[in-house]
Amino acid sequence: MGEMSLSTDHWFDAETSTFGDRVTGAREAAGFGQAELAKRLGVRLKTVRGWENDRSEPRANKLSMLAGILGVSMMWLMTGQGQGL
């Protein structure tokens, strides 16, 4: 058996992506900057940065808003399964 490499040329890999990776990818695909997303959600910029850096996760009500604004499902944001990018 060959060795599997954990590194990849693509930063986004559905198999290994974290919650923060998915938020970042969906935000960029939607064309939003972090500050604009924070404003739309009514949260501080450092809150969005915390989510994207996997230091924190949003509460359910903000997760629902985040999914709606980014056009992805809450399930995909949390698990990578379902309707995403």
Side-chain angles (χ1 to χ4, degrees):
M1 287 193 184
E3 259 184 64
M4 288 205 69
S5 172
L6 292 178
S7 65
T8 176
D9 292 334
H10 303 287
W11 72 269
F12 188 86
D13 176 0
E15 295 292 311
T16 60
S17 65
T18 64
F19 174 79
D21 292 337
R22 290 185 292 273
V23 172
T24 302
R27 175 182 56 74
E28 289 175 349
F32 295 122
Q34 288 179 328
E36 184 178 358
L37 181 60
K39 185 176 179 182
R40 285 176 174 250
L41 289 166
V43 299
R44 291 160 61 181
L45 177 56
K46 81 176 210 177
T47 301
V48 171
R49 287 183 176 149
W51 297 341
E52 291 191 1
N53 292 321
D54 290 304
R55 289 193 303 264
S56 61
E57 290 183 356
R59 293 193 175 127
N61 63 329
K62 292 298 182 191
L63 180 63
S64 177
M65 287 176 64
L66 181 63
I69 289 169
L70 299 178
V72 296
S73 71
M74 289 193 304
M75 180 63 73
W76 181 80
L77 281 173
M78 296 303 295
T79 67
Q81 306 294 310
Q83 184 182 344
L85 295 178

